[in-house]
Amino acid sequence: VSRTTFIRVGWLIDGSGRPARPDVLLKVEAGLIAGLEEGGEGASHPAERPLLDLAGRTIIPGLVDAHVHLFMSPTSQEDVRRGQLASSYQALEPVMAGQAAALLRAGVLAARDGGDYGGFSLRFRDERLPGTGLRLASPGRAWHVPGRYGRLIGRPPQPDLGLAGSIRAGAAGLDHVKLVNSGLNSLAQFGRLTRPQFSPAELRAAVTAAGESGLQVMVHANGPEPVASAVRAGCRSIEHGFFMGRDCLKLMADLGCVWVPTAVTMQGLSETLPPGDPRAGVARLNLEAQLEQLALARDLGVRVACGSDSGSLGVVHGRSLAQEMALFVRAGFGLEEAVAAASALGAELLGLDGDLGRLTPGRPATFLVFEGPPAGLLQRLGRPERILLRGRPLSFPGDSPPDQPV
Ligand SMILES: [Zn+2]
């Protein structure tokens, strides 16, 4: 039985990047947006139909975090950070459950994982996430060159198979492929660059091998050379991209490669390291340099998605996506553009475009509700007042039932 309901909304941000629209009446049928009428206050609706009144409130699409690590805790407790470097699935399952719940509470309804050494997020995706409202896209384990950065989130290719052969052998059940093509950013020396891990030929073969299984490739890369070779090879997205420079941004704009800058990682580090620690100072410089690149990317027309790298030191699952969106705004993005970068573009990256990320007729009535007008949204972002999934309220264990049925 298809039920029709009407929802009156104070302000609607639809995920496309266009300005917020005041006073909208949504018609919802069987969980989908069937109609969208501006000037909702004066608009008529059949009196016998239920009306959810969200006047004075702003709605935005459910959020998508384009880069998380579900297995890793953002804590600064040394014993926990050491312990999670070599834990079993059983030990990390409750940790992942807590972090998945934190994502949902912050309105993150889908996330793209960047990998873990045990492929734990893949198993968690299948065993624990169905029915929760959270969608997770997982690469299982990332690929890195032996002896280079990446052991925490992946493994080296099998020597006899090489990178492309290893990707072919391990593609079953994955949502995407994750490669590590540079080192981490130095916190000892500002702007120190690292060599690419894979050759351009290896990267091209890897993208081809992934494509044979219908998978796209997300690449961890910092600095001009590691980024440029991954973009030229046809990867879908560059993760981090610190210090890549203008030429790389131009190349990404030309080739349609998506950038996920994870600027909040540097904010997390600078706020979590002890005050006076010189590494915190370098992290702050890294952040400022990344915000300059973000402003340039916007000018050049690069498609930029919000991803937090949650699980990094001081980067908390859920609310860190709101912090990343605030950094986009600090770099010159409009509020609606930041919402688009954390919804529509993320949904595209995850292949969930028809289901999540935009509030337009024909798509699900899946959205977050915040008190007040868009002007106050950035301060409230990490804590939606309520979440609707296909027109139905999402409730959490221990919460009292929502007061208004939809
Ligand atoms: Zn990561």
Side-chain angles (χ1 to χ4, degrees):
V1 180
S2 108
R3 214 164 59 103
T4 301
T5 58
F6 290 86
I7 304 176
R8 176 171 291 158
V9 175
W11 293 268
L12 172 107
I13 296 178
D14 70 6
S16 69
R18 65 180 277 189
R21 275 174 280 175
D23 227 353
V24 173
L25 189 70
L26 286 179
K27 182 183 180 188
V28 179
E29 270 173 9
L32 301 180
I33 297 172
L36 200 153
E37 199 181 320
E38 293 191 43
E41 194 61 52
S44 61
H45 66 90
E48 73 274 15
R49 304 290 192 191
L51 178 97
L52 176 64
D53 194 356
L54 301 176
R57 291 173 163 77
T58 301
I59 71 166
I60 68 172
L63 296 175
V64 180
D65 191 330
H67 191 136
V68 304
H69 295 275
L70 196 63
F71 85 111
M72 196 160 45
S73 300
T75 177
S76 58
Q77 280 177 266
E78 275 303 325
D79 53 329
V80 177
R81 291 201 77 77
R82 256 198 318 275
Q84 68 188 1
L85 301 180
S87 281
S88 65
Y89 178 83
Q90 284 68 25
L92 288 177
E93 193 192 46
V95 175
M96 290 190 282
Q99 282 158 187
L103 286 168
L104 270 175
R105 280 189 183 274
V108 178
L109 304 185
R112 193 171 63 141
D113 202 89
D116 62 75
Y117 55 83
F120 300 144
S121 71
L122 199 60
R123 181 169 168 192
F124 190 86
R125 177 199 71 183
D126 293 340
E127 292 183 5
R128 293 290 302 276
L129 286 182
T132 63
L134 176 66
R135 319 264 290 261
L136 185 78
S138 168
R141 289 178 272 187
W143 300 102
H144 71 95
V145 162
R148 295 288 308 273
Y149 165 70
R151 199 173 60 86
L152 177 61
I153 59 170
R155 58 182 159 167
Q158 292 170 243
D160 52 327
L161 294 180
L163 178 62
S166 299
I167 288 171
R168 278 191 189 92
L174 307 185
D175 296 299
H176 53 270
V177 168
K178 169 81 184 287
L179 303 182
V180 183
N181 197 40
S182 74
L184 289 172
N185 289 297
S186 170
L187 292 177
Q189 183 196 334
F190 173 70
R192 186 162 75 201
L193 300 177
T194 57
R195 302 185 320 281
Q197 296 203 15
F198 297 104
S199 73
E202 283 176 306
L203 292 169
R204 282 194 300 273
V207 170
T208 302
E212 287 163 11
S213 298
L215 305 179
Q216 295 179 323
V217 181
M218 79 190 269
V219 182
H220 164 116
N222 295 305
E225 203 187 338
V227 170
S229 58
V231 175
R232 286 203 187 93
C235 74
R236 180 73 163 114
S237 68
I238 292 293
E239 312 298 310
H240 320 304
F242 285 84
F243 309 113
M244 65 173 141
R246 185 191 182 92
D247 289 348
C248 278
L249 287 167
K250 187 78 180 51
L251 188 66
M252 292 177 76
D254 289 346
L255 298 181
C257 183
V258 175
W259 182 32
V260 184
T262 67
V264 70
T265 53
M266 292 301 154
Q267 193 176 55
L269 278 169
S270 67
E271 290 172 0
T272 308
L273 290 167
D277 187 321
R279 292 174 298 169
V282 175
R284 275 190 294 275
L285 292 176
N286 289 345
L287 173 61
E288 294 311 317
Q290 193 71 326
L291 295 184
E292 281 172 27
Q293 288 202 136
L294 247 176
L296 188 54
R298 184 174 174 276
D299 290 345
L300 293 171
V302 180
R303 305 192 75 204
V304 193
C306 287
S308 62
D309 211 4
S310 288
S312 298
L313 185 64
V315 183
V316 178
H317 297 77
R319 67 178 157 92
S320 59
L321 185 64
Q323 293 167 332
E324 180 74 5
M325 291 166 77
L327 289 174
F328 272 48
V329 171
R330 213 172 110 190
F333 283 64
L335 174 68
E336 291 89 345
E337 292 172 335
V339 170
S343 58
L345 183 50
E348 236 182 85
L349 277 177
L350 272 76
L352 299 173
D353 196 24
D355 208 39
L356 203 61
R358 283 177 204 263
L359 298 173
T360 52
R363 286 191 162 88
T366 295
F367 57 80
L368 316 180
V369 182
F370 298 90
E371 241 181 73
L377 186 65
L378 273 186
Q379 286 70 47
R380 299 192 169 94
L381 257 182
R383 291 160 282 124
E385 189 182 44
R386 68 170 97 188
I387 300 171
L388 272 79
L389 276 185
R390 294 186 165 259
R392 291 169 179 276
L394 176 69
S395 54
F396 299 97
D399 285 358
S400 50
D403 52 350
Q404 291 185 79
V406 183

